[in-house]
Amino acid sequence: MSLQQKQELSLRMTTELRQAIELLQLSTCDLELYIREQELENPVIEIQEAERTDSFQERQSKNYSSQDTNSAEWVKQQEISTRDQMLRQVEIDFKDPKTKQLLKTLIHSLDDNGYLCAEMQSVDNVDAGIELLQQIGPPGIGSRTLQECLLLQVRSCGECPELMETFISEYLPYVAERKWQQIAKGMNITLAHVNELHEFLLTLHPRPCPELGDSETEFMMPDVIVEEKHGKLSFHLNDRDLPKVGLREEYTSSLKGTSELSSYLRDYHKQAQWLLTSIEQRRNTIIRIVTDLLEQQDAFFRQGKKALQPMTMKEVADRIEMHESTISRTVSNKVIQTPAGTFDMRSLFTSKLAAQDGDSVSQSAVKTSIQSLIAKEDKRKPLSDQKIVDLLLKEQGITISRRTVSKYRDELHILSSSKRRSIL
């Protein structure tokens, strides 16, 4: 047995450090909610609302009229959902109680796209109910399959090409595989007729009633706004509406002393100071990162993703002397508004792909090039993935594998060459 002395250096995840890391990842909207939560929990914190630029007095000075349709301020009326409208229409159009009950059950069983859920497909008189649904809803509503949905739309259409129902009922799988010659041979028609049937098929709706979903448009508030004035780029943080965090003066005199109250308030005072420090640290970190981005990605902020230069978080971290994990946390959940559009800040960091001249290009630039090549291709002979590889190397000097092209094409939701081939 022996007595040894050893010196160690370790990092402890304190509550304050955890708070600073958490604040880095918050968007401006989430930070505002966090500040308000802290005010409720900490009696020492006092927040002061930011001065709004659209005050009531300013709105009055503009002399807005209640009849002015161009006014930026309006109240959205309560809208009735499509499902409720159909239920009301059932009450108006049908008198038989059993028919009403059947239709209401079917309407409540529709998914967000207007298709009938699987549990209801074995209900008695479901076929008759689906036919009645066509009277009060868009054609195809209540369908159980895509094929049935398209057939119902064709039957409700006054004019459609000859053999359209046969084309859908028997050859729809061949359409998905672009087997035009087999369709023409099986139906004993010309390719021109097949093309006519396909063009009409494209006018039909695979989702008969997408309005049934309760999804609403979500608006995103940018955390950083980049502007171009007189040919120069500048930016500012979109945090002017954040409440200002302060400390209640009435508790200052009670911090000194040895009473239980003083000890209680000192703990909360320390937490409040840490909050102020963390908010300021978050702000300064974002400013340093965006300042570096403006220097390195000048062309991107003016022209968009086609001009995005390859850049990793580690490169930014080395330039501004921060850790890569700090960069990653800071850019997460952040939106940046630029003259070329609004982007997720994390999407500005891409890996590098080698070019023939020794330079490198970003993934975004390569994806844009792939989209451009496919947009200009001859649809009768679409470009294969290998052909795209050859063209990128020949025209732009970009070295890339066929597997990578296939991966990027899938991410861009572009079909393979066999499924992009046109009929004529």
Side-chain angles (χ1 to χ4, degrees):
M1 295 181 65
S2 63
L3 182 63
Q4 295 181 345
Q5 187 175 15
K6 184 169 63 173
Q7 186 176 20
E8 288 184 348
L9 181 65
S10 61
L11 177 65
R12 295 177 57 193
M13 181 65 74
T14 62
T15 304
E16 292 80 6
L17 180 59
R18 188 180 296 109
Q19 180 188 64
I21 293 175
E22 181 182 354
L23 288 186
L24 277 178
Q25 303 177 79
L26 297 180
S27 65
T28 303
C29 292
D30 292 337
L31 178 59
E32 179 179 356
L33 295 176
Y34 183 85
I35 291 174
R36 297 190 184 281
E37 289 176 359
Q38 291 300 305
E39 182 200 21
L40 296 176
E41 297 175 2
N42 193 329
V44 178
I45 293 178
E46 180 180 29
I47 64 173
Q48 180 181 359
E49 298 297 338
E51 294 183 3
R52 305 283 179 172
T53 57
D54 55 343
S55 64
F56 177 75
Q57 290 78 8
E58 290 177 348
R59 291 197 297 268
Q60 277 195 326
S61 65
K62 295 177 182 178
N63 294 323
Y64 282 144
S65 170
S66 60
Q67 302 299 323
D68 183 9
T69 56
N70 295 323
S71 172
E73 298 189 352
W74 53 280
V75 179
K76 183 178 180 180
Q77 295 181 347
Q78 183 67 32
E79 296 181 354
I80 302 174
S81 67
T82 304
R83 198 184 302 269
D84 289 337
Q85 290 177 2
M86 294 177 63
L87 292 171
R88 292 185 180 185
Q89 200 64 39
V90 168
E91 292 289 345
I92 296 173
D93 293 353
F94 301 94
K95 304 300 181 184
D96 180 49
K98 291 185 178 180
T99 303
K100 286 184 179 182
Q101 185 59 40
L102 173 62
L103 291 176
K104 289 181 180 180
T105 302
L106 294 180
I107 292 172
H108 283 298
S109 303
L110 298 175
D111 65 16
D112 290 345
N113 292 320
Y115 282 89
L116 193 64
C117 65
E119 292 78 6
M120 292 297 299
Q121 294 180 12
S122 59
V123 174
D124 294 339
N125 299 325
V126 66
D127 292 326
I130 292 175
E131 291 294 333
L132 292 175
L133 277 179
Q134 310 308 304
Q135 301 177 21
I136 59 175
I141 192 168
S143 304
R144 290 156 289 191
T145 62
L146 172 62
Q147 189 178 62
E148 183 181 17
C149 173
L150 299 176
L151 285 173
L152 287 172
Q153 294 179 56
V154 168
R155 291 163 186 166
S156 66
C157 181
E159 298 180 359
C160 64
E162 186 180 359
L163 301 177
M164 193 66 214
E165 290 194 30
T166 303
F167 183 69
I168 294 174
S169 59
E170 298 182 18
Y171 294 93
L172 198 58
Y174 292 89
V175 175
E177 298 295 329
R178 302 277 179 169
K179 297 180 178 179
W180 310 121
Q181 294 286 353
Q182 295 185 32
I183 295 174
K185 183 178 180 180
M187 297 183 67
N188 195 23
I189 56 178
T190 63
L191 283 175
H193 194 177
V194 173
N195 185 59
E196 180 186 4
L197 294 173
H198 182 248
E199 290 295 328
F200 184 83
L201 179 65
L202 294 178
T203 64
L204 304 178
H205 302 287
R207 298 187 299 170
C209 193
E211 299 85 2
L212 282 179
D214 297 329
S215 60
E216 297 181 356
T217 303
E218 293 185 7
F219 296 92
M220 301 185 69
M221 185 178 76
D223 301 274
V224 182
I225 298 178
V226 178
E227 298 175 322
E228 183 179 5
K229 294 181 180 179
H230 308 297
K232 294 184 178 180
L233 293 173
S234 61
F235 76 93
H236 65 271
L237 303 189
N238 191 24
D239 58 358
R240 60 186 178 184
D241 291 334
L242 277 179
K244 308 300 180 183
V245 180
L247 303 177
R248 297 185 185 273
E249 296 182 359
E250 58 265 30
Y251 291 130
T252 305
S253 59
S254 302
L255 294 175
K256 298 178 181 180
T258 58
S259 65
E260 185 177 347
L261 175 61
S262 298
S263 176
Y264 173 82
L265 290 177
R266 277 197 297 269
D267 290 340
Y268 278 111
H269 183 266
K270 183 180 178 181
Q271 294 177 19
Q273 290 287 3
W274 263 104
L275 177 62
L276 288 169
T277 303
S278 300
I279 292 175
E280 187 62 25
Q281 182 181 4
R282 172 188 178 275
R283 178 182 175 82
N284 291 335
T285 304
I286 295 175
I287 290 175
R288 291 176 64 182
I289 292 174
V290 178
T291 300
D292 184 76
L293 290 177
L294 258 64
E295 294 176 358
Q296 304 298 325
Q297 299 285 4
D298 183 271
F300 162 76
F301 289 114
R302 300 175 191 272
Q303 304 172 29
K305 282 201 169 184
K306 63 181 181 181
L308 182 64
Q309 298 298 315
M311 180 179 61
T312 63
M313 293 184 186
K314 188 176 188 310
E315 292 173 342
V316 176
D318 292 340
R319 284 194 295 267
I320 65 176
E321 299 180 348
M322 286 187 174
H323 196 276
E324 183 180 355
S325 62
T326 302
I327 307 297
S328 177
R329 292 188 179 100
T330 304
V331 300
S332 65
N333 305 316
K334 306 293 189 303
V335 176
I336 183 168
Q337 179 180 307
T338 75
T342 302
F343 307 93
D344 181 356
M345 282 188 68
R346 186 173 284 274
S347 67
L348 273 60
F349 300 90
T350 60
S351 58
K352 301 179 180 180
L353 294 172
Q356 211 170 28
D357 56 4
D359 292 334
S360 56
V361 292
S362 66
Q363 288 183 1
S364 298
V366 174
K367 289 180 180 180
T368 302
S369 298
I370 292 174
Q371 282 180 308
S372 178
L373 289 172
I374 292 177
K376 295 184 293 185
E377 69 182 1
D378 183 357
K379 297 304 178 184
R380 294 172 296 181
K381 296 180 180 179
L383 299 173
S384 65
D385 291 344
Q386 185 58 50
K387 185 62 177 177
I388 293 175
V389 170
D390 298 338
L391 288 175
L392 288 174
L393 180 61
K394 179 181 178 181
E395 297 179 1
Q396 304 181 37
I398 299 174
T399 303
I400 189 173
S401 67
R402 184 194 61 79
R403 182 177 297 178
T404 304
V405 169
S406 177
K407 172 188 172 184
Y408 289 172
R409 182 174 49 74
D410 290 340
E411 292 176 356
L412 294 169
H413 305 291
I414 298 176
L415 299 174
S416 62
S417 58
S418 61
K419 295 184 179 181
R420 299 197 309 271
R421 184 178 294 110
S422 63
I423 302 174
L424 298 176

